[in-house]
Amino acid sequence: MLVSFPGQNNMLVLRSFMILFFSCITIKINLCFPSIPSSLKTLSIDGHFDFEQVEHAAKDFGNRYSYLPLAVLYPKSVSDVATTVNHVWQIGGGSELKVAARGHGHSLQGQAQAHRGVVINMESLQGLKMQVHTGNFPYVDVSGGELWINILRQSLKHGLAPKSWTDYLHLTVGGTLSNAGISGQAFRHGPQISNVYQLEVVTGKGEVVNCSEKQNSDLFYSVLGGLGQFGIITRARISLEPAPEMVKWIRMVYTDFATFTRDQEKLISGQSTFDYVEGFVIINRTGLLNNWRSSFNPQDPLQASQFKSDGRRLFCLELAKYFNHEDMVLVNQEIKTSLSQLNHIPSTLFISEVPYMEFLDRVHISEIKLRSRGLWEVPHPWLNLFIPKSKIHSFAQEVFGNILTDTSSGPILIYPVNKSKWDNRTSVVIPEEDVFYLVAFLSSAVPSSTGNDGLEQILIRNKRILDYCEIAGLGVKQYLPHFSTQGEWKSHFGPHWEAFIRRKSTYDPSAILAPGQRIFQKPIAYS
Ligand code: FAD
């Protein structure tokens, strides 16, 4: 059936006729479908295909979606990726053979999976040597399948490190650059996609293209935040800065949301003393401050021991200041001055001092603990939202004050970022305001629970939050998005929809020639 969408322009209508034309070919090729794996076997590559052991490629961190591929490619070279994608392109969009790059498989809703398609295991490409370049504008050249933790280890050998991070480092370069890559440093440096000089990309036709702000810039910006839709990142040049030795890691609590956000917004504006600004919400928890890792020392132990969190809604500001040992005295003074301008509850000021590496790799420590208790590989119905600054109070009132009764199913992060640090030429979709918040509901579902901590209840709660945002017209955008229908994707992209379609048809044309709706269903991948 020919699918048409309201508001289609002439180009799309024309393309729809092409879909009709090509759908005839689809039928023909579909009859030959079983021969596709054997045609892959004829490809001359350095790595190999696995057609048998493919179950792991049908899993991800979200633990909720599972699409079995026909084959997994373990590429040893960029040309293996190009040969395979080119082969799929030659077969044509009508074959319905999808290709998905898989980084570390930490997607939440099958984004790196390919139902009856080919998954490319990008971590096999790690053999490409990581190269750190020192000098005035230091950078590192890495494989698209490289883990950020390895980049940190390698660049630290040169006293350098990337500027912008995610909270968890056991993710690949290709995986985070396909989304945005955000953490507490983003207010100053922008997301990871704002800290890339150059990419090498295999397009949907299987062409290997170098791109940057100056060279093939449309492809460069398409791929950044492009949800893996326009090409496979096989190499990236990432900007570095001098790495500090140590980090002052600070937490303090607020009971008043307006005071909390006012301080957060002050901290991300202008010349902030701090290098990292995040925060989280606590609802209905007891013994909170005692549960923080032992390295968090209360500034006033007596007063801290008298603080009672029981049952209240609390907002915890989390800050970090980087330093080297020789600057210790100066840094302590700077921190003291900055903290004196904040309005937290004085008795809740906790300071920890940890090596830079330990600070950045902090979530891995939790991972090890959760794994040992069998709590890592559970369903993760996460919901990540970008909320315009002007709407954050309405959002908080309804969601933290009404919809949520506790935060026992996982952390809820909340922190503002500056839009000026996001390049509007990339594919990522963000709100229109100069400052917007990331609010991340990082839930873990207790298997087979029917209570508040069970999958079903968490999904109902997520839906209530999304429905509220929609009805209240908050202009919220989803981060790490997942939608089921073309209409939802169109609404997500909003005014950027036409650009998305144009880029898709330029860099992955076989997909656009396939029946319209398919490319936007999960997993969104090459056709
Ligand atoms: P995958 O899940 O393997 O892939 C993700 C997407 O990218 C898929 O669409 C895939 O096809 C595509 N892709 C993968 N590799 C390539 C490539 N080389 N070229 C083109 N496309 C590719 N995100 C943040 O921004 N900030 C955080 O602080 C943060 N914390 C997290 C903490 C945890 C514990 C987890 C599990 C996730 C976190 N995330 C965070 C989300 C994370 O950034 C995304 O889920 C990311 O996509 C995972 O990377 P991955 O290597 O596992 O990618």
Side-chain angles (χ1 to χ4, degrees):
M1 194 187 80
L2 178 63
V3 185
S4 74
F5 309 102
Q8 274 179 329
N9 63 20
N10 287 342
M11 191 179 86
L12 286 175
V13 173
L14 181 71
R15 198 175 298 130
S16 298
F17 285 113
M18 294 168 83
I19 291 166
L20 185 64
F21 173 68
F22 275 82
S23 59
C24 306
I25 297 176
T26 307
I27 296 163
K28 205 172 92 191
I29 293 177
N30 276 347
L31 293 174
C32 316
F33 200 60
S35 69
I36 287 169
S38 51
S39 79
L40 291 172
K41 281 179 195 160
T42 64
L43 297 179
S44 167
I45 54 171
D46 303 315
H48 70 280
F49 282 101
D50 194 331
F51 299 95
E52 309 293 330
Q53 312 288 324
V54 293
E55 294 79 14
H56 70 282
K59 285 188 183 156
D60 60 27
F61 180 78
N63 230 326
R64 294 173 48 215
Y65 291 74
S66 182
Y67 303 102
L68 213 55
L70 283 175
V72 178
L73 168 67
Y74 293 87
K76 274 216 172 115
S77 60
V78 173
S79 93
D80 285 358
V81 178
T83 302
T84 304
V85 175
N86 180 262
H87 181 72
V88 175
W89 154 249
Q90 298 285 349
I91 293 172
S95 76
E96 304 220 354
L97 189 65
K98 293 184 170 104
V99 177
R102 178 183 170 91
H104 206 48
H106 278 49
S107 287
L108 298 161
Q109 288 153 305
Q111 284 93 335
Q113 300 179 28
H115 179 55
R116 292 183 62 75
V118 180
V119 169
I120 304 185
N121 190 71
M122 295 305 294
E123 285 191 72
S124 312
L125 265 182
Q126 278 184 6
L128 296 178
K129 203 164 156 19
M130 223 188 301
Q131 283 184 335
V132 175
H133 296 257
T134 54
N136 287 345
F137 299 99
Y139 61 84
V140 59
D141 283 330
V142 297
S143 155
E146 193 60 77
L147 293 177
W148 285 97
I149 181 70
N150 295 336
I151 300 173
L152 175 62
R153 288 192 186 116
Q154 187 64 22
S155 51
L156 280 179
K157 290 180 188 161
H158 302 261
L160 298 165
K163 300 170 184 171
S164 185
W165 294 99
T166 46
D167 291 346
Y168 176 63
L169 307 188
H170 299 248
L171 306 168
T172 64
V173 168
T176 69
L177 294 186
S178 296
N179 286 294
I182 17 173
S183 183
Q185 301 85 0
F187 79 92
R188 172 172 295 157
H189 296 293
Q192 290 180 324
I193 53 171
S194 297
N195 291 277
V196 182
Y197 291 140
Q198 217 180 79
L199 296 172
E200 178 190 74
V201 174
V202 174
T203 68
K205 294 184 199 169
E207 293 163 343
V208 183
V209 181
N210 282 313
C211 55
S212 65
E213 187 183 2
K214 298 262 155 55
Q215 189 188 7
N216 301 310
S217 63
D218 187 59
L219 175 62
F220 181 66
Y221 291 115
S222 301
V223 168
L224 294 171
L227 306 173
Q229 289 294 301
F230 309 107
I232 296 181
I233 301 167
T234 45
R235 208 163 174 80
R237 176 165 292 179
I238 292 155
S239 153
L240 301 176
E241 66 178 359
E245 293 164 357
M246 298 292 293
V247 175
K248 290 266 185 197
W249 188 4
I250 302 165
R251 284 180 177 176
M252 63 201 84
V253 172
Y254 295 71
T255 45
D256 179 48
F257 186 72
T259 313
F260 167 71
T261 48
R262 203 177 309 122
D263 276 357
Q264 277 195 323
E265 286 167 24
K266 188 157 58 184
L267 286 161
I268 68 153
S269 68
Q271 292 297 312
S272 177
T273 306
F274 295 98
D275 297 289
Y276 163 104
V277 178
E278 284 202 9
F280 52 93
V281 183
I282 303 145
I283 304 175
N284 213 358
R285 298 290 298 273
T286 51
L288 159 85
L289 305 187
N290 306 333
N291 290 341
W292 288 351
R293 63 168 69 197
S294 54
S295 55
F296 271 107
N297 296 314
Q299 288 304 281
D300 185 333
L302 181 64
Q303 275 199 49
S305 67
Q306 287 163 0
F307 177 77
K308 296 272 175 286
S309 64
D310 304 42
R312 281 190 284 174
R313 281 176 172 69
L314 302 173
F315 306 98
C316 178
L317 178 58
E318 184 171 74
L319 303 172
K321 172 75 182 163
Y322 302 161
F323 70 101
N324 292 329
H325 285 113
E326 76 253 27
D327 305 324
M328 180 93 143
V329 177
L330 193 68
V331 163
N332 280 339
Q333 189 50 49
E334 247 184 89
I335 291 176
K336 202 170 163 198
T337 310
S338 297
L339 292 181
S340 70
Q341 291 158 20
L342 301 178
N343 295 297
H344 53 281
I345 302 165
S347 63
T348 64
L349 179 63
F350 278 61
I351 303 192
S352 168
E353 200 174 295
V354 291
Y356 179 58
M357 174 86 175
E358 189 180 322
F359 171 72
L360 288 180
D361 202 23
R362 60 198 177 278
V363 175
H364 187 51
I365 296 166
S366 308
E367 175 187 355
I368 293 167
K369 282 188 202 153
L370 289 170
R371 274 190 192 280
S372 70
R373 291 158 55 200
L375 296 176
W376 185 256
E377 288 179 8
V378 296
H380 292 107
W382 286 11
L383 178 65
N384 288 272
L385 302 174
F386 288 140
I387 300 169
K389 172 184 147 179
S390 67
K391 298 296 189 306
I392 195 69
H393 295 279
S394 312
F395 178 88
Q397 202 172 7
E398 177 61 15
V399 177
F400 305 144
N402 204 5
I403 297 179
L404 293 179
T405 50
D406 62 64
T407 47
S408 57
S409 61
I412 300 176
L413 307 185
I414 174 165
Y415 56 92
V417 291
N418 295 307
K419 188 173 180 224
S420 61
K421 304 289 177 185
W422 296 61
D423 195 313
N424 63 12
R425 291 168 291 184
T426 66
S427 293
V428 69
V429 179
I430 54 176
E432 286 305 320
E433 290 184 16
D434 289 348
V435 170
F436 60 91
Y437 279 77
L438 170 73
V439 181
F441 300 85
L442 308 180
S443 309
S444 297
V446 174
S448 70
S449 166
T450 51
N452 272 353
D453 53 2
L455 181 60
E456 199 180 330
Q457 288 305 316
I458 296 171
L459 290 175
I460 290 172
R461 190 201 68 188
N462 287 354
K463 184 167 180 324
R464 278 186 72 192
I465 295 170
L466 287 171
D467 286 350
Y468 161 70
C469 293
E470 179 71 28
I471 291 162
L474 300 190
V476 165
K477 292 293 174 190
Q478 284 199 42
Y479 179 52
L480 311 174
H482 167 76
F483 301 106
S484 314
T485 67
Q486 175 106 27
E488 288 170 327
W489 281 110
K490 197 171 173 184
S491 153
H492 172 72
F493 282 102
H496 307 290
W497 172 251
E498 290 294 318
F500 178 82
I501 292 290
R502 180 190 59 74
R503 285 172 160 181
K504 185 77 180 165
S505 64
T506 307
Y507 302 116
D508 187 19
S510 65
I512 210 76
L513 295 176
Q517 281 191 325
R518 181 162 59 83
I519 58 167
F520 301 112
Q521 285 171 349
K522 288 292 145 195
I524 40 179
Y526 296 120
S527 293

